[in-house]
Amino acid sequence: MLKRKTGVALSLVLAAGTLLSACGSDDAGKSGGDKKAADFKVGMVTDTGGVDDKSFNQSAWEGLTKFGKDNGLDEGTGYKYLQSTKASEYESNLSKFAESGYNLTYGIGFLLKEDIKKAAKQYPDANFALVDDTLKSENLDNVASILFKEEQGSFLVGVVAAKQTKTNKIGFIGGVESPLIKKFENGFKAGVKSVNPDAEVISQYAESFNSPEKGSAIASTIYSKGADIIYQAAGGTGNGVFTEAKNRSKGGKDKKVWVIGVDRDQHEEGMPENVTLTSMVKRVDLAVEDVAKKAMDDKFPGGKEVVFGLKEDGVGIAPSQDNVSKDALKAVDEYKQKILDGDITVPQTDKEFKEFEKTLKK
């Protein structure tokens, strides 16, 4: 078992955060917080990936569920989600929560940005939270923008991929090509190239977060080109990458390929063939829980951006590290510290990546 102090430290930090959250709930209860919680209602509108995408939406729902249970709310009334099967449902789903008197409604994903903006203007007495994009410039006091430094966590799993590839070819599969998913791609490529400048990264987008069959087909193409590791940032589409990797790995030890999961610890998605190398965890669950608690305590960060990066333990390497070598984990620790110290600024855009790559050639 190759579990290192990185995983232990992350677990301790998360445990401490949970303990502090619990303590905060107790204090709130002593000051009349129980009554406040009983009257509080919070909703969540998924993007088309769905609440059971085993990734982004599911992580958000897990955070909302924990918040609801910790505060004695009833599922279906005190906390609830509405699943969007198509983009045209975003606006109506947001409106349903606002018209039903929900205190706070989450829009999960940048695809809901315009619909959140409309709803916030239409229902000024209701609070909304947009995950993965910002409406700060719109000066809407009833909207909080929740952002992550995905490029930082992606850099670290890029370090792992660079340390463990045997073919020097590594893949990246994105969902919808966008500034958000470009942060995953460019951070990952920067991590790979920092460790192994000779490694080739093959990138492709599915243009969907809910097409496992596309994910499988693209993964098949990339693996066939010689890649032995693929990092996927594609929501439900990424499930198809796991399917392809597991099917190939059934062919024997010489056919073994790996997947790097995203958003949640996706170790179980790679079983029983054990194809999950590691995952880039993006703590959407903690962010959702944190902002909901602030809203209930009359400290809602309306009109502001709430950002979660390495410093805030909002992104990082998954606790499941059995398949990661000691050498790779040591490198992760070293590069993480460089990022925290400001010695490395991880690129987010294609332009920034090109500039970053130039510094590696010196």
Side-chain angles (χ1 to χ4, degrees), residues 103-166:
N103 304 82
L104 172 62
T105 301
Y106 287 91
I108 308 301
F110 68 91
L111 295 173
L112 281 80
K113 179 177 181 176
E114 291 304 314
D115 295 290
I116 286 271
K117 184 165 73 172
K118 289 179 186 176
K121 291 179 178 179
Q122 187 174 354
Y123 304 99
D125 294 330
N127 286 330
F128 298 87
L130 173 63
V131 179
D132 273 355
D133 209 331
T134 181
L135 284 168
K136 183 180 178 181
S137 63
E138 298 293 329
N139 296 316
L140 294 168
D141 291 337
N142 59 336
V143 179
S145 300
I146 301 174
L147 302 170
F148 295 83
K149 295 182 179 180
E150 295 91 352
E151 71 280 3
Q152 293 183 343
S154 297
F155 185 102
L156 298 184
V157 294
V159 169
V160 174
K163 282 288 186 181
Q164 297 199 216
T165 180
K166 294 180 179 178

Side-chain angles (χ1 to χ4, degrees), residues 219-329:
S220 178
T221 298
I222 293 177
Y223 284 132
S224 294
K225 289 180 178 179
D228 56 351
I229 301 169
I230 292 177
Y231 176 37
Q232 58 84 18
T237 299
N239 295 336
V241 181
F242 282 101
T243 299
E244 179 63 22
K246 289 193 282 188
N247 287 340
R248 283 176 177 262
S249 295
K250 288 175 182 176
K253 207 168 185 180
D254 59 329
K255 302 290 185 181
K256 183 80 171 185
V257 292
W258 297 101
V259 182
I260 295 177
V262 75
D263 295 334
R264 300 169 71 247
D265 186 342
Q266 293 191 307
H267 177 74
E268 289 302 318
E269 302 313 309
M271 301 303 285
E273 289 79 10
N274 191 23
V275 298
T276 306
L277 180 58
T278 185
S279 302
M280 196 288 276
V281 290
K282 173 178 168 181
R283 299 308 302 268
V284 183
D285 55 340
L286 290 184
V288 165
E289 184 184 359
D290 176 71
V291 172
K293 188 176 186 308
K294 283 183 169 68
M296 190 177 68
D297 291 342
D298 296 325
K299 297 177 182 177
F300 180 67
K304 300 178 181 178
E305 293 178 346
V306 187
V307 183
F308 297 84
L310 281 179
K311 183 180 178 182
E312 297 78 19
D313 299 302
V315 295
I317 297 284
S320 297
Q321 299 172 0
D322 294 1
N323 295 321
V324 184
S325 70
K326 291 181 180 179
D327 185 43
L329 287 174

Side-chain angles (χ1 to χ4, degrees), residues 51-73:
V51 78
D52 57 353
D53 62 358
K54 299 181 174 64
S55 183
F56 181 63
N57 288 280
Q58 186 168 331
S59 180
W61 177 239
E62 288 169 353
L64 194 60
T65 298
K66 184 177 184 304
F67 169 80
K69 290 181 176 179
D70 286 352
N71 289 281
L73 306 183

Side-chain angles (χ1 to χ4, degrees), residues 85-115:
T85 58
K86 50 189 176 181
S88 60
E89 295 176 355
Y90 297 155
E91 185 175 359
S92 61
N93 283 341
L94 291 166
S95 296
K96 286 175 186 176
F97 281 123
E99 291 173 359
S100 298
Y102 275 67
N103 304 82
L104 172 62
T105 301
Y106 287 91
I108 308 301
F110 68 91
L111 295 173
L112 281 80
K113 179 177 181 176
E114 291 304 314
D115 295 290

Side-chain angles (χ1 to χ4, degrees), residues 22-85:
C23 291
S25 297
D26 289 342
D27 291 340
K30 292 175 184 176
S31 60
D34 289 341
K35 184 178 185 301
K36 185 182 291 185
D39 297 332
F40 191 81
K41 295 196 294 184
V42 56
M44 175 185 127
V45 177
T46 75
D47 68 12
T48 55
V51 78
D52 57 353
D53 62 358
K54 299 181 174 64
S55 183
F56 181 63
N57 288 280
Q58 186 168 331
S59 180
W61 177 239
E62 288 169 353
L64 194 60
T65 298
K66 184 177 184 304
F67 169 80
K69 290 181 176 179
D70 286 352
N71 289 281
L73 306 183
D74 293 326
E75 183 177 349
T77 53
Y79 66 100
K80 178 181 179 180
Y81 75 87
L82 290 175
Q83 186 150 309
S84 305
T85 58

